[in-house]
Amino acid sequence: MERVNLLGADIDTYNFDDAVEYAKSKRGQVVTINPEMLEYAQKNADFANIIKNAELVIPDGIGVQLGLKILGHNVKRIPGIEFAKRMLAEFEGHPVALIGAKPEIIQKTVENLKKEFSKLNLVYVQDGYFADTEKVLHETADTKPELVLAALGSPKQEEFIYALKNRLPQTLMIGVGGSFDVWSGVVERAPEIYQKLGLEWLYRTLKEPKRFKRIFPALPLFVLKVLKEKWS
Ligand code: UDP
């Protein structure tokens, strides 16, 4: 396995199964990275430091896969939502904490996951709209989960996990973005054809046009930056 640098951040190039095995044995923080996060890391040193110290950084989407390709690395993306689901299966019976999303969403997510994983052992469940972060960090650490999934959006989920790391050094913790929205059944995942083509972002943008303003300018700019890095 190789760690390759893309716009200042080191990204791991495991295939899906090897990433799963590595995460299970290594534990610590998993960052599922996308172009927006790389962009943010260039402006924010604290966030860049979190990525640098993560035990595993996986290329979540087609944007990062494309960026790596431009630099000559053929790496397959690992969708964070699939990686996290696999971890729930791997950790069946072990203590798990779920933190994030709106109250009704996390409630539905728990219901659905319990149906899917009969031995799911949830020791802590908390929605993502809390005021007292220290309290939630403390409560999470107290329940001693072996797996933490944080769905707080980025950079909040990465900061939250980073703050938990020294309190739970043997725990695997993954920032999972909008995964609970999908698992709850409230937000549908893009149809398979979009997934296969790596065009989930396009599907989501069509469904939710306000994302367009956020995502669309970011992608070409990201590609330009990578090209600049390649030629410099
Ligand atoms: N979220 C949260 N607390 C917050 C902000 C966001 O729990 O303070 C949740 C939000 O409800 C959603 C998830 O974080 O379930 C991801 O949000 P978004 O889609 O904006 O982030 P992305 O995955 O695009 O980074």
Side-chain angles (χ1 to χ4, degrees):
M1 200 276 304
E2 215 192 341
R3 264 202 146 179
V4 295
N5 194 281
L6 181 62
L7 302 183
D10 286 327
I11 300 173
D12 294 296
T13 61
Y14 287 113
N15 64 37
F16 192 98
D17 286 335
D18 290 347
V20 168
E21 286 314 310
Y22 181 81
K24 271 169 66 190
S25 63
K26 181 83 180 168
R27 309 290 171 107
Q29 179 162 20
V30 179
V31 174
T32 65
I33 203 139
N34 62 33
E36 285 171 279
M37 290 159 81
L38 287 171
E39 184 72 32
Y40 184 62
Q42 288 193 314
K43 290 185 236 143
N44 185 303
D46 289 337
F47 189 61
N49 189 51
I50 292 175
I51 296 173
K52 192 164 162 235
N53 283 290
E55 277 61 33
L56 186 65
V57 181
I58 58 178
D60 180 56
I62 198 80
V64 172
Q65 185 178 327
L66 177 66
L68 290 170
K69 175 106 187 149
I70 291 170
L71 298 182
H73 307 286
N74 277 315
V75 174
K76 224 170 163 247
R77 73 199 188 100
I78 299 180
I81 187 167
E82 285 168 25
F83 188 79
K85 191 53 118 16
R86 171 73 176 271
M87 283 307 170
L88 285 170
E90 299 282 342
F91 280 77
E92 253 198 293
H94 296 259
V96 173
L98 303 180
I99 299 140
K102 293 186 184 134
E104 65 276 18
I105 298 266
I106 188 150
Q107 201 190 323
K108 269 291 236 168
T109 298
V110 167
E111 271 171 40
N112 291 345
L113 290 177
K114 277 187 176 159
K115 280 185 218 149
E116 194 172 347
F117 303 104
S118 58
K119 295 197 216 68
L120 184 66
N121 176 12
L122 292 178
V123 291
Y124 188 62
V125 174
Q126 165 68 48
D127 71 72
Y129 294 86
F130 44 82
D132 190 346
T133 303
E134 185 48 45
K135 178 169 172 269
V136 176
L137 287 167
H138 191 83
E139 287 174 356
T140 310
D142 260 4
T143 59
K144 299 195 171 52
E146 282 180 48
L147 175 67
V148 172
L149 302 185
L152 303 167
S154 192
K156 214 170 164 187
Q157 62 196 20
E158 282 74 32
E159 290 163 357
F160 181 86
I161 289 172
Y162 189 70
L164 259 182
K165 259 174 106 167
N166 56 0
R167 309 183 207 201
L168 290 171
Q170 296 306 316
T171 301
L172 178 63
M173 300 186 271
I174 313 172
V176 296
S179 299
F180 294 177
D181 300 76
V182 176
W183 294 344
S184 70
V186 173
V187 176
E188 56 173 327
R189 207 176 162 201
E192 215 167 305
I193 181 77
Y194 285 85
Q195 291 182 33
K196 282 220 174 85
L197 295 172
L199 294 175
E200 281 154 284
W201 58 273
L202 176 64
Y203 181 79
R204 260 185 280 154
T205 308
L206 294 172
K207 284 252 157 181
E208 204 186 323
K210 73 173 194 294
R211 292 183 79 99
F212 194 76
K213 246 169 66 191
R214 198 177 95 188
I215 292 182
F216 188 72
L219 262 181
L221 275 180
F222 168 75
V223 169
L224 277 178
K225 269 198 181 162
V226 179
L227 284 171
K228 214 173 127 200
E229 181 172 291
K230 183 185 160 87
W231 291 327
S232 67

